Amino acid sequence: MIRDQETLNQLVDMIRQFVEGVLIPHENEVAETDEIPQDIVEQMKALGLFGLTIPEEYEGLGLTMEEEVYVAFELGRTSPAFRSLIGTNNGIGSSGLIIDGTEAQKSFFLPLLARGEVISSFCLTEPDAGSDAASLKTSAVKDGDFYVLNGTKRFITNAPHAGVFTVMARTNFDKGAGGISAFIVDSQTPGIFLGKRDKKMGQKGAHTCDVIFENCRISASALIGGVEGVGFKTAMKVLDKGRLHIAALSVGAATRMLDDSLNYAIERKQFGQPIAEFQLIQAMLADSKAEIYAAKCMVLDAARLRDAGQNVSTEASCAKMFASEMCGRVADRCVQIHGGAGYISEYAIERFYRDVRLFRLYEGTTQIQQMIIARNMIRAAS
């Protein structure tokens, strides 16, 4: 649902100019230093990028799902590290509060996130609980007006920079998924320790690490929504939205890779002519274009359904699965189009090939999406 087409067009144009004029020229620097320059972070704050999806009453832009994916199409055209920094504030780090938080929790935290004054992280995954999120072991034991957190969270995006954590923890060990609760936790609370930054295959400049809770005492007011046992449902609602966002990013990244490869094929000559004239190169270009178009249509359709209030668990998983797998296929073809140059870091495709591999893993692996889709189909037919 697009609320005002002209306003959205202006926003998308602004972000496109920022991506092309500022972010793309700094991609190599971020890849080499593993850091996003602070002046770029400040520009992101000034443009309101940390609060794109946070409601307007809390100082954000309040983008609908459809509006958000149009923005993600643009942000996907540059290094994923830039999007990752703002992504948790707009997605998994804030969505739980927006969906299920109390008014007091929203009023205090959301403006800070929207302004980029605080970075949020979503603490769900654990060493022994990734795809099977319902098996998490981090505990939150009630102690008077407090809860005591103990456990380890793994691969937590933006954790090294986070000011607050949305933490999924077990308040009841006898109820399975129904025993999980969600908490909003200040990162400076005693009893919180960070592991060393993970060394990853790609996405330099986007940082993850373990978050360890050792007898960490938090106020009972940190319980999101003030109700125990609904944390898993909150997490699943958050992931539906996040999956559509990753699907849109996959479309944006695939678009950038294909654009670069098309330009390379037009300029690169072999046997006396541009390689773009060779039919086998044309086949790879055409297949990629068609798959990007299909994925874009899926993402937009699912986003509109979500904005209309429909349950899009199946559609979000379909879009995330298809778009992320599509992105991987496009990356492979684009390396092939570049030939030996595609294996050299001088060309952006080498970096993108590694960066986009993560899209098929986080927010639920492709195999988890397959399970969700099939189970929803079976449930609907029963």
Side-chain angles (χ1 to χ4, degrees):
M1 182 177 63
I2 295 173
R3 297 165 299 170
D4 184 293
Q5 187 69 59
E6 184 177 352
T7 301
L8 177 63
N9 290 345
Q10 291 174 350
L11 174 64
V12 170
D13 286 345
M14 178 194 72
I15 292 174
R16 182 180 299 121
Q17 292 173 22
F18 182 60
V19 166
E20 294 176 353
V22 178
L23 300 187
I24 290 177
H26 283 87
E27 287 176 345
N28 287 336
E29 178 185 349
V30 171
E32 291 172 2
T33 64
D34 195 27
E35 298 288 343
I36 297 174
Q38 188 57 39
D39 66 309
I40 291 182
V41 177
E42 295 304 320
Q43 289 181 67
M44 288 174 154
K45 291 179 183 178
L47 291 172
L49 298 187
F50 283 91
L52 290 168
T53 64
I54 292 173
E56 293 177 276
E57 58 265 38
Y58 304 109
E59 302 185 32
L61 298 183
L63 298 188
T64 66
M65 192 73 241
E66 184 177 357
E67 292 166 343
E68 180 184 345
V69 299
Y70 274 108
V71 168
F73 291 153
E74 299 301 325
L75 291 174
R77 293 173 53 245
T78 185
S79 168
F82 297 116
R83 194 285 322 176
S84 184
L85 183 65
I86 65 171
T88 46
N89 277 30
N90 286 299
I92 55 179
S94 66
S95 293
L97 275 179
I98 293 170
I99 294 169
D100 290 326
T102 65
E103 184 53 42
Q105 290 167 340
K106 294 178 184 179
S107 297
F108 181 79
F109 288 106
L110 292 181
L112 295 174
L113 299 178
R115 293 192 296 266
E117 294 178 12
V118 170
I119 300 292
S120 61
S121 282
F122 184 67
C123 296
L124 175 63
T125 301
E126 298 181 359
D128 296 317
S131 295
D132 182 14
S135 68
L136 67 83
K137 298 176 182 176
T138 295
S139 62
V141 178
K142 190 75 180 294
D143 182 19
D145 293 331
F146 295 87
Y147 284 92
V148 180
L149 293 175
N150 280 286
T152 298
K153 299 295 184 177
R154 179 144 295 171
F155 308 138
I156 306 304
T157 300
N158 284 337
H161 314 290
V164 293
F165 298 115
T166 297
V167 183
M168 298 295 159
R170 188 168 292 285
T171 48
N172 188 312
F173 279 84
D174 298 321
K175 290 187 177 181
I180 297 172
S181 302
F183 299 86
I184 184 79
V185 181
D186 188 316
S187 65
Q188 299 305 306
T189 306
I192 297 178
F193 305 91
L194 301 182
K196 63 182 180 180
R197 289 185 187 179
D198 298 317
K199 293 183 178 180
K200 307 186 300 299
M201 176 190 295
Q203 300 212 12
K204 299 288 184 169
H207 303 139
T208 66
C209 71
D210 285 2
V211 180
I212 303 148
F213 300 93
E214 292 184 0
N215 295 320
C216 175
R217 290 176 64 84
I218 58 174
S219 169
S221 63
L223 179 65
I224 292 180
V227 180
E228 288 188 2
V230 297
F232 187 76
K233 291 181 179 178
T234 298
M236 293 307 101
K237 293 174 189 174
V238 168
L239 289 175
D240 272 352
K241 183 176 184 294
R243 285 165 181 159
L244 287 177
H245 183 86
I246 297 301
L249 283 177
S250 298
V251 170
T255 300
R256 164 70 184 282
M257 292 187 291
L258 183 58
D259 287 345
D260 283 1
S261 299
L262 175 60
N263 291 332
Y264 181 85
I266 291 171
E267 295 171 3
R268 172 69 167 164
K269 291 184 178 180
Q270 289 290 283
F271 305 101
Q273 59 183 313
I275 64 172
E277 297 299 321
F278 301 142
Q279 289 182 333
L280 293 177
I281 297 292
Q282 291 174 358
M284 289 190 283
L285 292 171
D287 285 351
S288 298
K289 182 68 173 181
E291 290 194 47
I292 290 170
Y293 178 55
K296 187 173 185 178
C297 290
M298 290 178 69
V299 173
L300 286 169
D301 180 67
R304 289 164 184 156
L305 292 174
R306 186 179 187 276
D307 284 340
Q310 294 191 33
N311 181 336
V312 293
S313 173
T314 298
E315 290 80 4
S317 287
C318 286
K320 198 273 181 180
M321 178 181 73
F322 183 83
S324 61
E325 291 287 338
M326 172 278 296
C327 191
R329 291 191 294 271
V330 169
D332 190 71
R333 291 188 199 114
C334 289
V335 170
Q336 200 71 12
I337 291 169
H338 278 74
Y343 204 69
I344 304 300
S345 60
E346 178 182 344
Y347 292 86
I349 186 58
E350 183 274 338
R351 184 186 68 249
F352 267 96
Y353 184 81
R354 290 180 287 106
D355 286 350
V356 303
R357 185 61 182 85
L358 183 58
F359 293 163
R360 293 159 60 191
L361 300 175
Y362 62 3
E363 307 286 359
T365 64
T366 292
Q367 289 66 40
I368 288 297
Q369 309 311 323
Q370 290 172 319
M371 290 171 59
I372 292 169
I373 294 164
R375 287 174 178 174
N376 287 352
M377 291 170 63
I378 294 166
R379 189 179 302 116
S382 299

